[in-house]
Amino acid sequence: MNYVVPKVPSSVKLLYIDSDPIAYHGACGVEKTTYNFVNKLSGDETQMFPDARTAKHWLKDQCEVAEMLGTSFDPDEWERMSHKEVRSEGEAIKATKSTLNSWLKYAKGIPFKGYLTERGVTKTKDVEGLEDRYQGKRGTIVPVHLEACRDYLLSCPEFHLLKGGFEADAACISGAEKRGKKGMLLSIDKDLRQAEGTYCMDMTYLKTKTKAPMIFYSGDDGVGEIWHCPIKSKPKLKKLTGVGFKFLCYQAMAGDTSDGYYGLKGVGQETVLNLLADCRTHKECLDAMYRFYEARGDVTYQSWDGQTVTKTPLELMHQHLWLAYQERSPSDEFSFDKYDWMI
């Protein structure tokens, strides 16, 4: 079974676009932040650095030079300052249009629906009792023209705003799955590759040397697969990728740091890859996972809100799958019943 297809299949009649990143990319594209350091005692300033990494390296270099020469340098005396330059709202909207068009050129004129998530609402998985707060480490800095870029997209008839904490990516996966091979997702969010029985065009691959997205397909049964994806620039580095239900299982067990959940301690990509290698059905995947969780027994942890929580193997497995799972409707959430599975 080939889980990556070379071009948009002729069966696809409607696209579902996760549009939050398009507005964000357009708003960020007209902002440039530079950095320098100011000495808290003397007021002396360094030169400007083009990014935070270069600034960090300067501070590290000063410490190393001082140690080599036997002089003194106290990094705590230096405060990093940021300087943001923002171009006009019109340029931000133009950048948003450009990003959208760069996605649509791979769609070959196929009609589409775009969805944006309502801002400022509590995420449905941001609840107490979890070991780590869901998406708790995401930055709070908002690009200056983000609202203008979102408003531009929403002024177009193809785009829709979702309310009540239901996320755009969930609406996209739901719509595409209902259409099966007649639908396809477009997103930079790897989570949407959990989609079963439909196509997912992953736009993150636009940043690779090929400068073209990859189209994933889980197979008709939706089980999918996980595998090592070679990285030409870093041949020794192994990156695991996947699609379908197996990819959901992988995210649940290994965690997803971008969303602030970390799966089972000590479990990484190799463990999950080997565990699910011979699984061919949803039931076999869940059976294999449960045997692994059961072998570890009950788990006690301190939750992010200060509770001492103890979970049985089944409860912890359910929690991890629930965190990773992409809901298909405002009332949907992960359940074992959906897969006719029980221990």
Side-chain angles (χ1 to χ4, degrees):
M1 175 69 194
N2 188 355
Y3 297 97
V4 178
V5 297
K7 62 181 181 179
V8 177
S10 59
S11 64
V12 175
K13 305 302 179 185
L14 187 62
L15 309 175
Y16 295 85
I17 302 180
D18 178 16
S19 308
D20 290 325
I22 296 176
Y24 193 85
H25 188 274
C28 288
V30 298
E31 296 187 0
K32 174 66 175 176
T33 303
T34 55
Y35 303 85
N36 75 333
F37 288 96
V38 176
N39 189 286
K40 300 174 186 177
L41 302 180
S42 66
D44 292 342
E45 297 187 23
T46 68
Q47 72 270 32
M48 301 299 296
F49 303 104
D51 51 59
R53 178 178 294 183
T54 305
K56 182 179 179 180
H57 284 169
W58 177 86
L59 199 65
K60 181 181 178 181
D61 289 344
Q62 300 309 304
C63 294
E64 292 177 352
V65 169
E67 182 178 356
M68 182 176 62
L69 298 177
T71 58
S72 61
F73 180 83
D74 184 357
D76 292 333
E77 292 182 2
W78 295 84
E79 181 178 2
R80 195 187 76 177
M81 311 296 291
S82 62
H83 310 268
K84 180 182 287 189
E85 298 177 14
V86 183
R87 301 202 301 275
S88 70
E89 179 180 299
E91 289 179 277
I93 292 174
K94 184 177 179 181
T96 302
K97 292 179 183 178
S98 176
T99 301
L100 174 61
N101 289 334
S102 72
W103 286 28
L104 290 177
K105 77 175 184 178
Y106 295 99
K108 310 300 181 183
I110 299 172
F112 69 92
K113 291 183 178 180
Y115 295 97
L116 292 101
T117 308
E118 185 181 20
R119 295 187 60 224
V121 297
T122 301
K123 300 296 178 86
T124 56
K125 294 176 182 176
D126 184 13
V127 297
E128 297 178 350
L130 301 176
E131 188 167 6
D132 298 282
R133 190 168 188 176
Y134 183 72
Q135 297 186 351
K137 293 185 178 180
R138 289 197 173 180
T140 57
I141 299 176
V142 177
V144 173
H145 298 310
L146 180 59
E147 281 301 323
C149 294
R150 286 168 56 87
D151 288 345
Y152 161 72
L153 291 176
L154 291 170
S155 71
C156 304
E158 298 90 351
F159 292 91
H160 310 276
L161 180 66
L162 299 173
K163 297 189 175 184
F166 190 51
E167 297 190 42
D169 48 9
C172 290
I173 198 172
S174 173
E177 282 186 340
K178 288 176 181 177
R179 287 188 168 262
K181 290 184 177 180
K182 293 182 178 180
M184 185 167 67
L185 303 150
L186 273 71
S187 180
I188 62 169
D189 188 347
K190 63 184 181 302
D191 296 349
L192 269 69
R193 285 196 255 120
Q194 294 176 16
E196 299 187 21
T198 191
Y199 298 101
C200 179
M201 183 183 286
D202 191 333
M203 308 307 292
T204 56
Y205 290 88
L206 286 175
K207 298 180 180 179
T208 64
K209 288 185 177 180
T210 61
K211 297 190 182 300
M214 287 182 66
I215 303 173
F216 292 84
Y217 181 62
S218 67
D220 295 348
D221 59 9
V223 176
E225 191 55 273
I226 51 177
W227 65 91
H228 284 307
C229 182
I231 303 174
K232 292 182 179 180
S233 61
K234 300 178 181 179
K236 293 184 178 180
L237 182 64
K238 293 182 178 180
K239 178 183 178 181
L240 190 139
T241 191
V243 65
F245 187 69
K246 278 195 179 184
F247 190 59
L248 165 63
C249 297
Y250 162 69
Q251 289 183 295
M253 294 190 71
D256 185 343
T257 56
S258 64
D259 279 335
Y261 62 90
Y262 300 92
L264 277 174
K265 293 188 183 302
V267 171
Q269 60 184 36
E270 291 295 334
T271 301
V272 186
L273 189 66
N274 293 330
L275 183 71
L276 302 180
D278 297 324
C279 297
R280 295 293 177 263
T281 66
H282 295 82
K283 182 181 184 304
E284 289 176 1
C285 292
L286 293 170
D287 285 344
M289 287 180 68
Y290 182 69
R291 288 192 295 269
F292 195 93
Y293 277 78
E294 186 180 35
R296 293 205 168 191
D298 293 356
V299 172
T300 299
Y301 62 80
Q302 288 294 123
S303 70
W304 68 267
D305 58 309
Q307 301 180 53
T308 299
V309 178
T310 299
K311 295 285 186 182
T312 66
L314 185 63
E315 290 171 337
L316 191 63
M317 176 176 160
H318 180 276
Q319 182 190 96
H320 290 167
L321 284 162
W322 172 76
L323 282 166
Y325 177 77
Q326 287 288 305
E327 294 84 358
R328 271 63 168 180
S329 73
S331 60
D332 182 36
E333 64 178 17
F334 178 85
S335 72
F336 293 124
D337 291 342
K338 180 175 182 178
Y339 303 96
D340 296 320
W341 183 85
M342 62 180 67
I343 57 175

